[in-house]
Amino acid sequence: RKNVRMENKSALLTTDSLNYDRVRNVGYFFNGGQLEDSLNVLVSVLGYYYPSTNTANFRRDVKLTNPNFVMKSDTLNYNTNTNIANILGPTHIDYEEETHIYSEKGWYDTKNELAELLYNSYIENQDTKRLIGDTIFYDKNRGLARAYHNIELADTLKKVSLFGHYGYYNELTEEGLATDSAMMIEYSAGDTLFLHADTLFTYADSIYKVVEAYHNVRFYRVDLQGIADSASYQTRDSIL
């Protein structure tokens, strides 16, 4: 009790009250504590730390602070050896004025900034781009995200969304793709334009967005409909 320090290699656990079970080899706190390693600082109300496996389980008001981002969650598992955080509940990851990540299941490699997001997940950029999918693989350093099943690549500023069951988005080049039941919805005007194709590509033309559709193109709006082998849509002047 009072000013407790528990050291294990490069990890340091500090708290005001700690119980240590020598049989199970686990230390746990119940009134607030902090775990610090060579890369991250984690705080929570409740926590368990297993020195033999370098793993920790944190619950209630969990906050992981990294030099590049802040992760907040209600439940989180963390390994001080691999620096990987396992997401077990609603979790927000914020890169200041840049990227916001949300997921309820998955893992995040805090050292290499790689993620696998598995449930109710999305990645949202400050420039109004959002990628949604049942499964998302994200490489923050390369700015590349790949999504599988029920994906949506949305640009809320340009009011264009791409849908499909596979897609990717490159944050650095602003290039994206949607395929497997691909569809575009454009809703900047009074009527919504729906466009289907085998594959949809999107990229930025200066500050404007271009969507290119290839093979078996079908498009529909209240006042028009058409078919084509390929098509291109530009938000600059709404020309298809």
Side-chain angles (χ1 to χ4, degrees), residues 76-92:
L76 195 73
N77 282 352
Y78 180 73
N79 189 296
T80 58
N81 187 36
T82 63
N83 302 122
I84 292 178
N86 288 298
I87 299 168
L88 303 174
T91 300
H92 297 267

Side-chain angles (χ1 to χ4, degrees), residues 7 17 28 30 89 93 104 106 116 129 143 169 225 232 238:
E7 299 182 24
S17 298
Y28 56 97
F30 41 86
I93 305 170
E104 297 178 13
E116 181 181 39
K129 308 292 194 313
Y169 182 69
Q225 58 185 327
S232 176
S238 299

Side-chain angles (χ1 to χ4, degrees), residues 6 31 38 63-64 82 119 122 128 143 145 153 159 161 211 223:
M6 179 177 177
N31 195 30
S38 58
K63 182 179 180 181
L64 183 154
T82 63
Y119 186 67
Y122 66 82
T128 71
L153 177 57
K159 297 184 177 180
S161 291
V211 178
D223 58 343

Side-chain angles (χ1 to χ4, degrees), residues 102-207:
Y102 176 82
S103 183
E104 297 178 13
K105 184 179 180 181
W107 55 264
Y108 199 89
D109 184 337
T110 64
K111 181 177 181 179
N112 299 300
E113 297 186 63
L114 300 170
E116 181 181 39
L117 313 174
L118 301 173
Y119 186 67
N120 286 341
S121 307
Y122 66 82
I123 300 171
E124 189 172 53
N125 295 326
Q126 187 187 24
D127 60 357
T128 71
K129 308 292 194 313
R130 173 183 279 209
L131 178 64
I132 301 171
D134 289 352
T135 301
I136 301 176
F137 297 95
Y138 184 50
D139 186 335
K140 175 60 180 173
N141 291 324
R142 295 172 60 196
L144 183 63
R146 297 183 182 275
Y148 299 84
H149 306 298
N150 301 311
I151 72 107
E152 178 184 359
L153 177 57
D155 187 330
T156 56
L157 181 63
K158 305 297 190 300
K159 297 184 177 180
V160 177
S161 291
L162 305 186
F163 298 85
H165 291 298
Y166 170 75
Y168 73 78
Y169 182 69
N170 189 317
E171 298 173 338
L172 305 182
T173 63
E174 297 188 57
E175 295 175 330
L177 173 145
T179 187
D180 192 359
S181 303
M183 177 177 66
M184 179 193 84
I185 296 180
E186 198 278 341
Y187 52 96
S188 63
D191 295 324
T192 300
L193 173 67
F194 298 87
L195 185 147
H196 296 263
D198 291 346
T199 304
L200 298 173
F201 293 99
T202 179
Y203 58 90
D205 176 14
S206 181
I207 62 174

Side-chain angles (χ1 to χ4, degrees), residues 49-67:
Y49 184 61
Y50 300 83
S52 59
T53 58
N54 303 298
T55 58
N57 178 271
F58 294 94
R59 301 175 186 175
R60 292 178 55 186
D61 298 329
V62 184
K63 182 179 180 181
L64 183 154
T65 302
N66 179 279

